[in-house]
Every structure is written in C-alpha cells, then in structure tokens.
Amino acid sequence: MTDLPAFLDTSRPDVPDLSVPRGVLPFYLPNRPVRGRLVRLGPLAATLLSRHEHAPPVKALLGQALALAAALATALKFTGSFSVQARGKGLVPMLVTDCTETGALRGYVRVTDDAEIPNAATARDLLGEGYLAFTVDQGLNKEPTQGIVSIEGESLADMAAHYFTTSEQLGAKIHLAAGETAHGWRASALVLERVAGAGGIDPALSQAEQDDAWLTATLLADTITEAELLDDALTPEHLLYRLFGAEGVATSKPRPLSFGCRCSRQRLGGILEGFTTDDLDHMAVEGEIKMTCEFCNFAFCFTRSTLTGRPGDPA
C-alpha cells in the first residue's frame, strides 16, 4: 500500500496490459446503403471475462455486451465513453459495459446472491423484465446523451435491434457471439446499419433498389455462424468476403481494443472523501477501508486516518 495520500496517487493497479490492434474492422458495401463493423475481441475476451467467477451463461452475456459496446462505440465520433447498460429483475439485475473513443473496454455484471444459473439460460432469462440503455458520456462539461428502451426479445442481439427500431428508427442487423473455445473465451459482434439519406449510396438507386440492397445484405449476414464469429483462424477479411464478396465489400482502417479499466487510488479515494466522517468510521476495519473495483476486481486499501471525509449532517 502506498504512503501517498489518495488524492495524489494516480497509480494504476496491477491489471493486464493487453491490446488487440485489429479488434474492430469497419466495412461498407460500395454504392449500397450498408455499413458495419466486425468485432473480434480475441484473447482480450478471455482476460476481461476472467476478472470474476461467473457461470458460463453469465460470462457469455457479458462477452456479448462487451463486443456490442465496442461495435457501437466505434461507429461514433466522440471523446469520452460509450456504455451499454441493462437493468432487470432477473438473475442478473445489472449489466454494464463501456468503451472509450480509443477502444479501452471494460465490463461488469451483478448476479443475484445464491442464484442458480441454468446452463441453457438466455439473455432474457438472466435479465428478466427491465430496460436497456445506450449512453454517450463526454465528461463534466457536457450532458450525457442516452437512449432507453424496454428489454424485448430472447437474446441481447434482439434487445439491441429493438433499440434501433424504436429509438433510432434506423435499420440494423446485429449478431453477437461469446463462448469458450480451444483457445479460451472469445467474443465477437457483426453489426450492420442502414445508411440514412444519400450518404455513400449510388444516386441512381431508387428507393425500391435501396430496400432490396439492404434486404440482401441482412439475409447474407444471417448466414454467419457462431463458430465463424469465434474462430481465431478465420481472419475478419476472409469472413467478410465469405458473407458479402458478391456485393463488393470494402474495409476501412481497423480499430484497436484494449483492457480498459480506469480505476485508481485517486479516483476511489475521491469517492470515499464524499462520505461523512461517521460513515468512514463505520466502514473502517482495524483502521483500514477496503474498496474493490467492480470492473477489474482489484482491491484498494486506504488507511482511515488519511481520509478527511465531510462533516456529518446536523441532527
């Protein structure tokens, strides 16, 4: 434990320094109203999902949410973080994943105490009734932008597609996969979005031809398998060509993804300083207060005497 006061200690915990240089491959169908991203977390999935002990269906749900956050964040121009959050009344009452503009990725899932997770549990079984939220947070000087919809569908992909249909009113096709392979846990996403307006579309295409091009792309996307999404030996380029080669698929510059927990003693110490002195006294055990980051599961210890806190509320 460091001797520095928390507000001066910006040190990071001993967590993996792992980056996947080609984690997200953007692509588009030239002169067609279709763009998308293929996300492959590779070994990053195994690292992120190993921070907590969860049943396989819960790990799969978290892995899919991590891939979804990466796919949607890298479609936006922003500075800050993009998060996928789900809150429900099921065995998993809370799910949070977020991705920064640089591709720093993290996630956390809360499981009800003593919950028995069926091996065949779907996302709907785990989350139950509740809501799904997508949030762009660009810092203290800007209001977060958020879209919220009720949880609909059996899979997380269905739930995310419901958001696009009801909130964005744009066509979207989403495939998510996460599972344990011979090389460890892997997670992947294929997201197609229909381009609105005339951007990137052949001006000679009629509305009916645009509709037909979008339908063709979604039908081709539906031929993808979970095994293909999770296969390290199948490169993203080869997979996209297998799906859309007849449509003349083109790719853009790949985007990196990395292990992105942003906790520090300084950050958590600042949270503790927001408590009253009485609260801090109650938290302390033998003169120390321990705080564990929910994302990376790293425990930080603070000496009670180094924390000032705020005065208690008047009686």
PDB file of all heavy atoms in Angstrom, residues 54 58 88-94 108-117 126-127:
ATOM      1  N   HIS A  54     -17.949 -16.424 -12.840  1.00  0.00           N
ATOM      2  CA  HIS A  54     -19.368 -16.465 -13.187  1.00  0.00           C
ATOM      3  C   HIS A  54     -19.676 -17.753 -13.928  1.00  0.00           C
ATOM      4  O   HIS A  54     -18.796 -18.361 -14.553  1.00  0.00           O
ATOM      5  CB  HIS A  54     -19.747 -15.273 -14.076  1.00  0.00           C
ATOM      6  CG  HIS A  54     -19.721 -13.945 -13.386  1.00  0.00           C
ATOM      7  ND1 HIS A  54     -20.430 -13.695 -12.225  1.00  0.00           N
ATOM      8  CD2 HIS A  54     -19.069 -12.790 -13.694  1.00  0.00           C
ATOM      9  CE1 HIS A  54     -20.220 -12.439 -11.847  1.00  0.00           C
ATOM     10  NE2 HIS A  54     -19.401 -11.877 -12.712  1.00  0.00           N
ATOM     11  N   VAL A  58     -23.606 -16.488 -17.890  1.00  0.00           N
ATOM     12  CA  VAL A  58     -23.378 -15.108 -17.470  1.00  0.00           C
ATOM     13  C   VAL A  58     -22.144 -14.553 -18.171  1.00  0.00           C
ATOM     14  O   VAL A  58     -22.135 -13.408 -18.648  1.00  0.00           O
ATOM     15  CB  VAL A  58     -23.228 -15.015 -15.938  1.00  0.00           C
ATOM     16  CG1 VAL A  58     -22.918 -13.584 -15.508  1.00  0.00           C
ATOM     17  CG2 VAL A  58     -24.495 -15.503 -15.251  1.00  0.00           C
ATOM     18  N   GLY A  88     -32.466  -5.253 -14.926  1.00  0.00           N
ATOM     19  CA  GLY A  88     -33.652  -6.087 -14.961  1.00  0.00           C
ATOM     20  C   GLY A  88     -33.997  -6.648 -13.597  1.00  0.00           C
ATOM     21  O   GLY A  88     -33.360  -6.335 -12.593  1.00  0.00           O
ATOM     22  N   LYS A  89     -35.006  -7.505 -13.594  1.00  0.00           N
ATOM     23  CA  LYS A  89     -35.488  -8.103 -12.353  1.00  0.00           C
ATOM     24  C   LYS A  89     -35.185  -9.591 -12.303  1.00  0.00           C
ATOM     25  O   LYS A  89     -35.782 -10.321 -11.527  1.00  0.00           O
ATOM     26  CB  LYS A  89     -36.999  -7.876 -12.236  1.00  0.00           C
ATOM     27  CG  LYS A  89     -37.401  -6.406 -12.194  1.00  0.00           C
ATOM     28  CD  LYS A  89     -38.908  -6.250 -12.106  1.00  0.00           C
ATOM     29  CE  LYS A  89     -39.305  -4.772 -12.081  1.00  0.00           C
ATOM     30  NZ  LYS A  89     -40.783  -4.593 -12.026  1.00  0.00           N
ATOM     31  N   GLY A  90     -34.236 -10.029 -13.119  1.00  0.00           N
ATOM     32  CA  GLY A  90     -33.918 -11.445 -13.192  1.00  0.00           C
ATOM     33  C   GLY A  90     -32.720 -11.835 -12.347  1.00  0.00           C
ATOM     34  O   GLY A  90     -32.361 -11.162 -11.374  1.00  0.00           O
ATOM     35  N   LEU A  91     -32.081 -12.932 -12.740  1.00  0.00           N
ATOM     36  CA  LEU A  91     -30.920 -13.445 -12.013  1.00  0.00           C
ATOM     37  C   LEU A  91     -29.724 -12.512 -12.142  1.00  0.00           C
ATOM     38  O   LEU A  91     -28.830 -12.518 -11.296  1.00  0.00           O
ATOM     39  CB  LEU A  91     -30.551 -14.834 -12.545  1.00  0.00           C
ATOM     40  CG  LEU A  91     -31.656 -15.894 -12.456  1.00  0.00           C
ATOM     41  CD1 LEU A  91     -31.230 -17.160 -13.180  1.00  0.00           C
ATOM     42  CD2 LEU A  91     -31.982 -16.194 -11.003  1.00  0.00           C
ATOM     43  N   VAL A  92     -29.714 -11.711 -13.203  1.00  0.00           N
ATOM     44  CA  VAL A  92     -28.665 -10.705 -13.417  1.00  0.00           C
ATOM     45  C   VAL A  92     -29.338  -9.330 -13.433  1.00  0.00           C
ATOM     46  O   VAL A  92     -29.810  -8.869 -14.470  1.00  0.00           O
ATOM     47  CB  VAL A  92     -27.920 -10.959 -14.742  1.00  0.00           C
ATOM     48  CG1 VAL A  92     -26.922  -9.841 -15.021  1.00  0.00           C
ATOM     49  CG2 VAL A  92     -27.199 -12.306 -14.701  1.00  0.00           C
ATOM     50  N   PRO A  93     -29.417  -8.678 -12.282  1.00  0.00           N
ATOM     51  CA  PRO A  93     -30.132  -7.405 -12.232  1.00  0.00           C
ATOM     52  C   PRO A  93     -29.388  -6.231 -12.847  1.00  0.00           C
ATOM     53  O   PRO A  93     -29.994  -5.195 -13.114  1.00  0.00           O
ATOM     54  CB  PRO A  93     -30.339  -7.179 -10.735  1.00  0.00           C
ATOM     55  CG  PRO A  93     -29.244  -7.953 -10.077  1.00  0.00           C
ATOM     56  CD  PRO A  93     -28.989  -9.142 -10.949  1.00  0.00           C
ATOM     57  N   MET A  94     -28.075  -6.383 -13.104  1.00  0.00           N
ATOM     58  CA  MET A  94     -27.324  -5.267 -13.678  1.00  0.00           C
ATOM     59  C   MET A  94     -26.195  -5.772 -14.568  1.00  0.00           C
ATOM     60  O   MET A  94     -25.473  -6.705 -14.215  1.00  0.00           O
ATOM     61  CB  MET A  94     -26.747  -4.354 -12.600  1.00  0.00           C
ATOM     62  CG  MET A  94     -26.082  -3.100 -13.169  1.00  0.00           C
ATOM     63  SD  MET A  94     -25.556  -1.919 -11.908  1.00  0.00           S
ATOM     64  CE  MET A  94     -24.128  -2.770 -11.234  1.00  0.00           C
ATOM     65  N   TYR A 108     -18.892  -5.225 -16.390  1.00  0.00           N
ATOM     66  CA  TYR A 108     -19.230  -5.760 -15.074  1.00  0.00           C
ATOM     67  C   TYR A 108     -20.654  -6.287 -15.105  1.00  0.00           C
ATOM     68  O   TYR A 108     -21.532  -5.691 -15.751  1.00  0.00           O
ATOM     69  CB  TYR A 108     -19.099  -4.667 -14.003  1.00  0.00           C
ATOM     70  CG  TYR A 108     -19.677  -5.069 -12.657  1.00  0.00           C
ATOM     71  CD1 TYR A 108     -19.027  -6.006 -11.860  1.00  0.00           C
ATOM     72  CD2 TYR A 108     -20.871  -4.528 -12.213  1.00  0.00           C
ATOM     73  CE1 TYR A 108     -19.554  -6.390 -10.631  1.00  0.00           C
ATOM     74  CE2 TYR A 108     -21.398  -4.896 -10.977  1.00  0.00           C
ATOM     75  CZ  TYR A 108     -20.742  -5.825 -10.194  1.00  0.00           C
ATOM     76  OH  TYR A 108     -21.275  -6.213  -8.987  1.00  0.00           O
ATOM     77  N   VAL A 109     -20.875  -7.394 -14.434  1.00  0.00           N
ATOM     78  CA  VAL A 109     -22.214  -7.952 -14.326  1.00  0.00           C
ATOM     79  C   VAL A 109     -22.457  -8.342 -12.867  1.00  0.00           C
ATOM     80  O   VAL A 109     -21.574  -8.865 -12.192  1.00  0.00           O
ATOM     81  CB  VAL A 109     -22.381  -9.170 -15.261  1.00  0.00           C
ATOM     82  CG1 VAL A 109     -21.433 -10.286 -14.909  1.00  0.00           C
ATOM     83  CG2 VAL A 109     -23.805  -9.664 -15.259  1.00  0.00           C
ATOM     84  N   ARG A 110     -23.651  -8.017 -12.371  1.00  0.00           N
ATOM     85  CA  ARG A 110     -24.005  -8.362 -10.991  1.00  0.00           C
ATOM     86  C   ARG A 110     -25.009  -9.507 -11.018  1.00  0.00           C
ATOM     87  O   ARG A 110     -26.035  -9.432 -11.698  1.00  0.00           O
ATOM     88  CB  ARG A 110     -24.615  -7.164 -10.265  1.00  0.00           C
ATOM     89  CG  ARG A 110     -25.031  -7.487  -8.807  1.00  0.00           C
ATOM     90  CD  ARG A 110     -25.659  -6.279  -8.161  1.00  0.00           C
ATOM     91  NE  ARG A 110     -24.717  -5.173  -8.102  1.00  0.00           N
ATOM     92  CZ  ARG A 110     -25.081  -3.908  -7.917  1.00  0.00           C
ATOM     93  NH1 ARG A 110     -26.369  -3.593  -7.816  1.00  0.00           N
ATOM     94  NH2 ARG A 110     -24.164  -2.953  -7.871  1.00  0.00           N
ATOM     95  N   VAL A 111     -24.707 -10.553 -10.282  1.00  0.00           N
ATOM     96  CA  VAL A 111     -25.571 -11.724 -10.211  1.00  0.00           C
ATOM     97  C   VAL A 111     -26.236 -11.763  -8.837  1.00  0.00           C
ATOM     98  O   VAL A 111     -25.586 -11.504  -7.818  1.00  0.00           O
ATOM     99  CB  VAL A 111     -24.766 -13.014 -10.450  1.00  0.00           C
ATOM    100  CG1 VAL A 111     -25.670 -14.241 -10.365  1.00  0.00           C
ATOM    101  CG2 VAL A 111     -24.066 -12.964 -11.799  1.00  0.00           C
ATOM    102  N   THR A 112     -27.522 -12.065  -8.804  1.00  0.00           N
ATOM    103  CA  THR A 112     -28.245 -12.157  -7.544  1.00  0.00           C
ATOM    104  C   THR A 112     -27.584 -13.186  -6.633  1.00  0.00           C
ATOM    105  O   THR A 112     -27.184 -14.268  -7.082  1.00  0.00           O
ATOM    106  CB  THR A 112     -29.710 -12.572  -7.798  1.00  0.00           C
ATOM    107  OG1 THR A 112     -30.312 -11.606  -8.667  1.00  0.00           O
ATOM    108  CG2 THR A 112     -30.488 -12.642  -6.494  1.00  0.00           C
ATOM    109  N   ASP A 113     -27.446 -12.849  -5.365  1.00  0.00           N
ATOM    110  CA  ASP A 113     -26.803 -13.742  -4.405  1.00  0.00           C
ATOM    111  C   ASP A 113     -27.469 -15.125  -4.419  1.00  0.00           C
ATOM    112  O   ASP A 113     -28.699 -15.242  -4.422  1.00  0.00           O
ATOM    113  CB  ASP A 113     -26.901 -13.161  -2.993  1.00  0.00           C
ATOM    114  CG  ASP A 113     -26.037 -11.930  -2.829  1.00  0.00           C
ATOM    115  OD1 ASP A 113     -25.123 -11.727  -3.656  1.00  0.00           O
ATOM    116  OD2 ASP A 113     -26.289 -11.156  -1.870  1.00  0.00           O
ATOM    117  N   ASP A 114     -26.606 -16.167  -4.441  1.00  0.00           N
ATOM    118  CA  ASP A 114     -27.055 -17.563  -4.384  1.00  0.00           C
ATOM    119  C   ASP A 114     -27.921 -17.964  -5.581  1.00  0.00           C
ATOM    120  O   ASP A 114     -28.644 -18.970  -5.531  1.00  0.00           O
ATOM    121  CB  ASP A 114     -27.828 -17.842  -3.082  1.00  0.00           C
ATOM    122  CG  ASP A 114     -26.997 -17.560  -1.845  1.00  0.00           C
ATOM    123  OD1 ASP A 114     -25.784 -17.834  -1.879  1.00  0.00           O
ATOM    124  OD2 ASP A 114     -27.546 -17.038  -0.856  1.00  0.00           O
ATOM    125  N   ALA A 115     -27.867 -17.200  -6.666  1.00  0.00           N
ATOM    126  CA  ALA A 115     -28.657 -17.548  -7.844  1.00  0.00           C
ATOM    127  C   ALA A 115     -28.080 -18.795  -8.513  1.00  0.00           C
ATOM    128  O   ALA A 115     -26.865 -18.931  -8.663  1.00  0.00           O
ATOM    129  CB  ALA A 115     -28.669 -16.386  -8.830  1.00  0.00           C
ATOM    130  N   GLU A 116     -28.951 -19.716  -8.886  1.00  0.00           N
ATOM    131  CA  GLU A 116     -28.550 -20.892  -9.651  1.00  0.00           C
ATOM    132  C   GLU A 116     -28.820 -20.597 -11.125  1.00  0.00           C
ATOM    133  O   GLU A 116     -29.950 -20.383 -11.530  1.00  0.00           O
ATOM    134  CB  GLU A 116     -29.326 -22.126  -9.190  1.00  0.00           C
ATOM    135  CG  GLU A 116     -28.991 -22.561  -7.766  1.00  0.00           C
ATOM    136  CD  GLU A 116     -29.642 -23.893  -7.405  1.00  0.00           C
ATOM    137  OE1 GLU A 116     -30.186 -24.561  -8.324  1.00  0.00           O
ATOM    138  OE2 GLU A 116     -29.608 -24.258  -6.224  1.00  0.00           O
ATOM    139  N   ILE A 117     -27.764 -20.581 -11.909  1.00  0.00           N
ATOM    140  CA  ILE A 117     -27.865 -20.200 -13.311  1.00  0.00           C
ATOM    141  C   ILE A 117     -28.019 -21.451 -14.172  1.00  0.00           C
ATOM    142  O   ILE A 117     -27.104 -22.275 -14.243  1.00  0.00           O
ATOM    143  CB  ILE A 117     -26.622 -19.413 -13.768  1.00  0.00           C
ATOM    144  CG1 ILE A 117     -26.338 -18.234 -12.832  1.00  0.00           C
ATOM    145  CG2 ILE A 117     -26.790 -18.948 -15.202  1.00  0.00           C
ATOM    146  CD1 ILE A 117     -27.415 -17.182 -12.800  1.00  0.00           C
ATOM    147  N   LEU A 126     -31.827 -14.348 -17.932  1.00  0.00           N
ATOM    148  CA  LEU A 126     -30.900 -13.767 -16.958  1.00  0.00           C
ATOM    149  C   LEU A 126     -31.324 -12.364 -16.532  1.00  0.00           C
ATOM    150  O   LEU A 126     -31.284 -12.028 -15.341  1.00  0.00           O
ATOM    151  CB  LEU A 126     -29.487 -13.722 -17.543  1.00  0.00           C
ATOM    152  CG  LEU A 126     -28.839 -15.079 -17.823  1.00  0.00           C
ATOM    153  CD1 LEU A 126     -27.511 -14.899 -18.546  1.00  0.00           C
ATOM    154  CD2 LEU A 126     -28.634 -15.863 -16.536  1.00  0.00           C
ATOM    155  N   LEU A 127     -31.751 -11.544 -17.481  1.00  0.00           N
ATOM    156  CA  LEU A 127     -32.069 -10.143 -17.175  1.00  0.00           C
ATOM    157  C   LEU A 127     -33.497  -9.959 -16.694  1.00  0.00           C
ATOM    158  O   LEU A 127     -33.768  -9.098 -15.854  1.00  0.00           O
ATOM    159  CB  LEU A 127     -31.827  -9.271 -18.414  1.00  0.00           C
ATOM    160  CG  LEU A 127     -30.376  -9.178 -18.887  1.00  0.00           C
ATOM    161  CD1 LEU A 127     -30.310  -8.459 -20.231  1.00  0.00           C
ATOM    162  CD2 LEU A 127     -29.507  -8.466 -17.862  1.00  0.00           C
TER     163      LEU A 127
END
